[in-house]
Amino acid sequence: MKRINTSVFKQFFNSKKLGGILLLICVVLSLFIANSGYGESFSNFLATTKGFNVGPFHLNYTISVWINDGLMAIFFLLVGLEIKRELIEGELSSAKKATLPVMAAIGGMMIPAFIYFIFNKNEPTASGWGIPMATDIAFALAILALLGKNVPSSLKIFLAALAIVDDLGAILVIAIFYTDQIHWQEMLIACGIFAFLLALNYFKVKSLWFYLIPGIFLWYFVHHSGIHATIAGVLLAFTIPTNETDELSPLEKLEHFLTKPVALLIMPIFALANTNITFVEGMVEGLISPLGLGIIFGLFIGKTIGITLLSFIAVKMKWAKLPTAANWKHIVGMGMLAGIGFTMSIFISMLSFSDALHIIEAKFSILCASVFSGTVGFIFLKSLSKKKAE
C-alpha cells in the first residue's frame, strides 16, 4: 500500500499559524497608517508606477497592481498546488473522502451568495455577490490552532480541505464572472503556453525550471488577455508533476518552497496594502446598508448555515460521515470560522466595484464580519471542550 507524504501538509498548517498572526498585525498596522498623517503618503506610494519595457513586453504597473496581480498570482499558485495535491493524494482524492468537505464548501458558497443577493437585488452593489463566498484559510486555521487540543485534530484537515475547495470555487467565480473583456490574441497565446506545460507533464519532465520560466510568460499573457492574472498561478499549478509515493515530487518541492514566503510575506503585504481603510463619516452606517448587511450576514450566517446544512444532508444520505471524534456542534463551529473571509473577500470586492466608496464599505464590512465570525467561532468551540470536561 502506498504511503502518502504528509510532511508538506504539516508544514503548511504550522506556517499558517504564524502567517495568521502576521496578517492580523498587518491589518492593524494598515488601519493605523490609513488613519494617521501617513495615510496620503502611503496611498501615493501604492499608486507609484514601477517596472520596465522589454521589446513588445510592457511591464509598467503601480505597486498596488504588482501586489494584487503579481504577488497574489504566487499566492494562487500555492493554492493551486494545494488543490492538486488534495485531489491526487489527500482529502479530495476519493469520492468518499471528498464528499463532506466538497458538499460543505458548496453550501458555504451558495447560501452566502444568495443572502447577499437578497439584500442587494436591484442595487448598484449587486455585482458583489461573490464577496461572502470566500474563506480565508490562513486566519481560519490560525484561530483553530489557538484552540489546540480543545477540538478534534480531524477538524483541522476538514477545515483545510473545505477552504481549499472554497478557494477553487472563488477562482472559478473570478475567472467566469469578474472578467470584463477578453483579448483573444493574448488568450490564444496563453492557451498555447498552457498546452505546452501540459505536454511537459505528460512526458514526465520533472525539472521545475521548465515549468516556472514558461509560467512567467503564461502570467503575462493571461494578464493582458483580460482574465485576472492570478488565474495563471492556478493553471501553472495544475501542470506541475506529482506522485502518490513517499518520494518528494516536483509539486511538493515547490509547495514546500512557497509555503513560508506566501504565508509570512505575500499575504501580510497584501493585507498591508489593501486594508488601508480610512475611517470616514457614515462608514459605520454603511454596515447596515444593503452592501454591509449582505456581506456580514452572508459571511457569518450564510457560511454557518450553508456548511452545516449541506454537511447534514451528505451524512444523512450516507454519502459521507463526520470527521473522527467530531459532532454536529463542531461542524457549526467550523461554519462560523469559515465566515472569516478576509483575504479572498477583499480581493473579490476590489474586482466587484469601481466606486471607491463601495470598495471601502465592502472592506470595512468584511473586516467586521471576519472579526465577529472568528471571535464567536473561537468562543463557541472553546465552550464545547469545557462542557465535555465537566
Side-chain angles (χ1 to χ4, degrees):
M1 180 179 178
K2 293 180 178 178
R3 288 162 34 207
I4 304 304
N5 189 332
T6 60
S7 61
V8 175
F9 175 79
K10 291 175 182 177
Q11 185 195 20
F12 168 71
F13 176 70
N14 289 333
S15 72
K16 291 296 179 183
K17 299 180 197 175
L18 180 56
I21 294 169
L22 283 176
L23 267 178
L24 182 59
I25 292 171
C26 286
V27 168
V28 174
L29 180 59
S30 184
L31 290 171
F32 171 77
I33 293 173
N35 293 279
S36 70
Y38 301 102
E40 186 176 350
S41 298
F42 186 59
S43 294
N44 291 337
F45 168 74
L46 292 174
T48 303
T49 299
K50 297 288 183 182
F52 53 89
N53 295 326
V54 179
F57 299 103
H58 304 286
L59 290 165
N60 278 304
Y61 305 113
T62 64
I63 290 173
S64 180
V65 170
W66 278 117
I67 292 170
N68 294 329
D69 291 13
L71 288 182
M72 286 301 284
I74 300 174
F75 165 76
F76 276 86
L77 170 59
L78 179 60
V79 169
L81 293 171
E82 292 159 4
I83 292 170
K84 182 173 181 179
R85 175 171 50 77
E86 291 294 328
L87 288 169
I88 297 296
E89 61 181 32
E91 290 301 305
L92 306 175
S93 60
S94 68
K96 188 174 182 180
K97 285 183 176 181
T99 299
L100 189 64
V102 167
M103 289 286 286
I106 291 172
M109 290 185 284
M110 292 179 60
I111 303 299
F114 179 71
I115 289 174
Y116 183 94
F117 171 78
I118 295 298
F119 279 104
N120 290 271
K121 185 180 180 182
N122 299 323
E123 295 285 341
T125 50
S127 60
W129 56 269
I131 297 171
M133 293 175 68
T135 293
D136 191 302
I137 189 171
F139 270 137
L141 287 177
I143 298 285
L144 199 59
L146 294 175
L147 288 163
K149 295 181 179 180
N150 291 303
V151 295
S153 58
S154 60
L155 287 180
K156 298 172 185 176
I157 297 174
F158 170 71
L159 181 60
L162 183 157
I164 286 169
V165 176
D166 188 287
D167 280 344
L168 178 58
I171 289 162
L172 292 174
V173 166
I174 291 169
I176 297 169
F177 298 102
Y178 290 100
T179 295
D180 293 328
Q181 183 180 2
I182 301 294
H183 300 287
W184 289 106
Q185 181 176 339
E186 286 80 1
M187 172 60 74
L188 288 172
I189 295 172
C191 288
I193 295 171
F194 182 58
F196 172 71
L197 291 169
L198 289 174
L200 291 178
N201 184 301
Y202 178 79
F203 288 109
K204 303 187 184 304
V205 175
K206 293 189 176 182
S207 174
L208 281 170
W209 290 112
F210 283 96
Y211 296 90
L212 297 180
I213 293 175
I216 295 171
F217 290 93
L218 177 64
W219 174 87
Y220 178 86
F221 286 106
V222 169
H223 185 268
H224 283 265
S225 72
I227 292 178
H228 203 275
T230 52
I231 302 302
V234 181
L235 293 175
L236 174 60
F238 274 74
T239 68
I240 306 294
T242 189
N243 56 50
E244 297 180 11
T245 68
D246 275 343
E247 181 187 356
L248 206 61
S249 68
L251 183 146
E252 289 170 319
K253 289 177 182 177
L254 184 57
E255 188 178 1
H256 177 87
F257 177 78
L258 291 178
T259 295
K260 286 188 176 179
V262 167
L264 307 182
L265 186 64
I266 290 175
M267 292 182 71
I269 288 175
F270 175 84
L272 189 63
N274 292 291
T275 333
N276 56 329
I277 304 168
T278 303
F279 294 110
V280 296
E281 188 177 350
M283 180 176 283
V284 175
E285 287 81 356
L287 293 175
I288 56 173
S289 68
L291 171 62
L293 291 174
I295 291 173
I296 293 169
F297 278 85
L299 281 173
F300 181 67
I301 303 297
K303 283 286 184 183
T304 305
I305 292 175
I307 287 171
T308 304
L309 178 61
L310 263 76
S311 294
F312 181 80
I313 291 172
V315 172
K316 290 302 176 183
M317 294 295 290
K318 300 188 185 302
W319 298 337
K321 59 181 181 179
L322 288 175
T324 306
N327 57 44
W328 285 112
K329 290 181 179 179
H330 286 123
I331 301 299
V332 172
M334 290 295 101
M336 293 176 182
L337 290 186
I340 305 173
F342 199 70
T343 307
M344 196 72 83
S345 291
I346 287 178
F347 190 75
I348 294 175
S349 72
M350 293 189 297
L351 299 177
S352 302
F353 310 122
S354 56
D355 186 283
L357 182 59
H358 286 156
I359 294 174
I360 290 173
E361 288 182 351
K363 287 181 179 180
F364 187 55
S365 299
I366 292 164
L367 182 62
C368 292
S370 297
V371 169
F372 185 74
S373 296
T375 303
V376 175
F378 177 85
I379 294 171
F380 180 79
L381 288 168
K382 185 79 171 176
S383 70
L384 296 182
S385 65
K386 288 182 178 179
K387 288 178 182 178
K388 187 176 180 180
E390 291 173 359

